[in-house]
Amino acid sequence: MHLDQEFIDGTDAYVWMYDPVPFWYYIAGGLILIGAIAVCLFPLWPPGVRKCVYYLSVAAAGFLGVILALAVVRFIVFVIIWVLSMGYHHLWLLPNLTEDVGFFASFWPLYHYEYRGEDTAAETDKPETDVDRVHSEDQTAGSETDSENSNSQAFEIIEKEDVDGAHETGDEKAESKKDINSEEGEEDEKDVLAEDSSCS
């Protein structure tokens, strides 16, 4: 399908996209319009309704403030524990609070603790032993042999002399075939002559 809407008599198929607007779109659009007008007419609302809306707005603002306060507090707690432990202890309260997850997933798990002490640093920075070195050499040698085998299966190196020799042998083979054919032709001629002489 393309945007060039030229109807030319040919073998191509013409496609029309039939995508009607659902009826509930009109209902939702009307409700949004009525809601916008109702918000504009807020001073004309009854006092009881305005008080309820006020309390709801304060509750929503308070909830947003609590979320922001939790984000700041969890960062402060992490920095304090990290500084006091010289970077060994990592504690995050509500680790998914600022992540791109759902609403309920933002509050679970409650905390995430990780220890990054000298043991973990020693494991990552330990020197390579002879056994590890031999094992790594064996792995590299095995990978090299595998690559050579795969290359040998895919390609074959041929010397230029071999190619020239192959051409020469091909020419020799052609000449030998010609000789064989000529000999066979001579034998056929002899047989024909012998048959003629016997018939005569």
Side-chain angles (χ1 to χ4, degrees):
M1 294 185 297
H2 52 82
L3 297 178
D4 189 10
Q5 299 295 322
E6 292 183 2
F7 295 92
I8 301 173
D9 190 11
T11 59
D12 296 334
Y14 294 97
V15 178
W16 284 266
M17 295 298 296
Y18 179 68
D19 189 12
V21 178
F23 182 71
W24 70 273
Y25 275 28
Y26 296 103
I27 297 175
L31 291 177
I32 291 173
L33 182 61
I34 292 171
I37 295 172
V39 169
C40 293
L41 297 177
F42 180 75
L44 302 178
W45 289 11
V49 177
R50 283 188 288 174
K51 188 177 290 185
C52 292
V53 171
Y54 171 75
Y55 289 147
L56 288 175
S57 62
V58 170
F63 179 75
L64 182 60
V66 168
I67 297 296
L68 295 176
L70 282 174
V72 174
V73 168
R74 66 190 286 272
F75 182 74
I76 293 173
V77 169
F78 173 81
V79 170
I80 291 172
I81 294 174
W82 186 78
V83 170
L84 293 178
S85 65
M86 304 295 292
Y88 291 162
H89 299 278
H90 292 211
L91 176 65
W92 283 105
L93 300 175
L94 300 174
N96 291 332
L97 186 64
T98 57
E99 298 296 329
D100 188 13
V101 294
F103 176 77
F104 295 104
S106 299
F107 301 97
W108 188 261
L110 298 177
Y111 68 93
H112 174 72
Y113 172 75
E114 185 178 359
Y115 176 73
R116 297 183 182 178
E118 295 177 352
D119 296 338
T120 56
E123 289 178 359
T124 55
D125 299 335
K126 66 180 181 180
E128 186 180 9
T129 60
D130 295 335
V131 177
D132 296 334
R133 190 177 300 109
V134 171
H135 184 63
S136 63
E137 289 176 357
D138 291 340
Q139 287 181 346
T140 54
S143 63
E144 288 177 357
T145 54
D146 292 339
S147 62
E148 288 177 359
N149 291 333
S150 63
N151 290 334
S152 65
Q153 291 176 0
F155 300 101
E156 182 180 356
I157 299 174
I158 300 174
E159 297 288 337
K160 184 177 183 299
E161 298 172 357
D162 296 338
V163 174
D164 295 337
H167 287 303
E168 291 175 359
T169 55
D171 296 337
E172 292 174 358
K173 287 180 181 179
E175 292 176 359
S176 62
K177 286 183 180 179
K178 289 179 180 177
D179 295 337
I180 291 169
N181 292 332
S182 61
E183 290 176 358
E184 290 178 353
E186 291 175 357
E187 291 177 356
D188 293 338
E189 289 178 359
K190 289 179 181 178
D191 294 336
V192 171
L193 293 172
E195 290 177 357
D196 292 340
S197 63
S198 62
C199 290
S200 61

PDB file of all heavy atoms in Angstrom, residues 30 89 113 118 168 188 196:
ATOM      1  N   GLY A  30     -17.198  13.610  24.710  1.00  0.00           N
ATOM      2  CA  GLY A  30     -18.231  14.447  25.328  1.00  0.00           C
ATOM      3  C   GLY A  30     -18.031  14.615  26.813  1.00  0.00           C
ATOM      4  O   GLY A  30     -18.205  15.720  27.354  1.00  0.00           O
ATOM      5  N   HIS A  89      29.154  -1.065  52.390  1.00  0.00           N
ATOM      6  CA  HIS A  89      27.746  -1.426  52.539  1.00  0.00           C
ATOM      7  C   HIS A  89      26.892  -0.514  51.668  1.00  0.00           C
ATOM      8  O   HIS A  89      27.005   0.707  51.728  1.00  0.00           O
ATOM      9  CB  HIS A  89      27.300  -1.301  54.008  1.00  0.00           C
ATOM     10  CG  HIS A  89      28.066  -2.200  54.933  1.00  0.00           C
ATOM     11  ND1 HIS A  89      27.760  -3.526  55.092  1.00  0.00           N
ATOM     12  CD2 HIS A  89      29.127  -1.948  55.743  1.00  0.00           C
ATOM     13  CE1 HIS A  89      28.595  -4.069  55.964  1.00  0.00           C
ATOM     14  NE2 HIS A  89      29.435  -3.134  56.372  1.00  0.00           N
ATOM     15  N   TYR A 113      19.974  -4.643  49.988  1.00  0.00           N
ATOM     16  CA  TYR A 113      21.269  -4.522  50.656  1.00  0.00           C
ATOM     17  C   TYR A 113      22.312  -5.314  49.875  1.00  0.00           C
ATOM     18  O   TYR A 113      22.059  -6.422  49.424  1.00  0.00           O
ATOM     19  CB  TYR A 113      21.184  -5.052  52.087  1.00  0.00           C
ATOM     20  CG  TYR A 113      22.532  -5.136  52.775  1.00  0.00           C
ATOM     21  CD1 TYR A 113      23.166  -3.996  53.222  1.00  0.00           C
ATOM     22  CD2 TYR A 113      23.166  -6.365  52.932  1.00  0.00           C
ATOM     23  CE1 TYR A 113      24.398  -4.069  53.838  1.00  0.00           C
ATOM     24  CE2 TYR A 113      24.402  -6.441  53.549  1.00  0.00           C
ATOM     25  CZ  TYR A 113      25.020  -5.287  53.990  1.00  0.00           C
ATOM     26  OH  TYR A 113      26.247  -5.359  54.588  1.00  0.00           O
ATOM     27  N   GLU A 118      36.220  -6.095  51.095  1.00  0.00           N
ATOM     28  CA  GLU A 118      37.514  -6.468  50.558  1.00  0.00           C
ATOM     29  C   GLU A 118      37.472  -7.845  49.908  1.00  0.00           C
ATOM     30  O   GLU A 118      38.221  -8.128  48.987  1.00  0.00           O
ATOM     31  CB  GLU A 118      38.563  -6.451  51.678  1.00  0.00           C
ATOM     32  CG  GLU A 118      38.790  -5.065  52.253  1.00  0.00           C
ATOM     33  CD  GLU A 118      39.779  -5.090  53.404  1.00  0.00           C
ATOM     34  OE1 GLU A 118      40.155  -6.207  53.820  1.00  0.00           O
ATOM     35  OE2 GLU A 118      40.167  -4.017  53.882  1.00  0.00           O
ATOM     36  N   GLU A 168      47.533 -27.925 -17.177  1.00  0.00           N
ATOM     37  CA  GLU A 168      48.333 -28.733 -18.079  1.00  0.00           C
ATOM     38  C   GLU A 168      47.807 -30.161 -18.140  1.00  0.00           C
ATOM     39  O   GLU A 168      47.669 -30.755 -19.196  1.00  0.00           O
ATOM     40  CB  GLU A 168      49.794 -28.717 -17.643  1.00  0.00           C
ATOM     41  CG  GLU A 168      50.458 -27.352 -17.840  1.00  0.00           C
ATOM     42  CD  GLU A 168      51.861 -27.344 -17.292  1.00  0.00           C
ATOM     43  OE1 GLU A 168      52.277 -28.402 -16.750  1.00  0.00           O
ATOM     44  OE2 GLU A 168      52.537 -26.312 -17.390  1.00  0.00           O
ATOM     45  N   ASP A 188      37.201 -48.713 -35.951  1.00  0.00           N
ATOM     46  CA  ASP A 188      35.874 -48.839 -36.567  1.00  0.00           C
ATOM     47  C   ASP A 188      35.983 -48.882 -38.088  1.00  0.00           C
ATOM     48  O   ASP A 188      35.285 -49.663 -38.766  1.00  0.00           O
ATOM     49  CB  ASP A 188      34.976 -47.669 -36.130  1.00  0.00           C
ATOM     50  CG  ASP A 188      34.648 -47.736 -34.651  1.00  0.00           C
ATOM     51  OD1 ASP A 188      34.734 -48.858 -34.074  1.00  0.00           O
ATOM     52  OD2 ASP A 188      34.287 -46.684 -34.069  1.00  0.00           O
ATOM     53  N   ASP A 196      33.257 -55.216 -45.447  1.00  0.00           N
ATOM     54  CA  ASP A 196      33.022 -55.037 -46.875  1.00  0.00           C
ATOM     55  C   ASP A 196      33.766 -56.075 -47.701  1.00  0.00           C
ATOM     56  O   ASP A 196      33.238 -56.630 -48.665  1.00  0.00           O
ATOM     57  CB  ASP A 196      33.463 -53.628 -47.288  1.00  0.00           C
ATOM     58  CG  ASP A 196      32.565 -52.556 -46.689  1.00  0.00           C
ATOM     59  OD1 ASP A 196      31.412 -52.927 -46.290  1.00  0.00           O
ATOM     60  OD2 ASP A 196      32.985 -51.389 -46.585  1.00  0.00           O
TER      61      ASP A 196
END
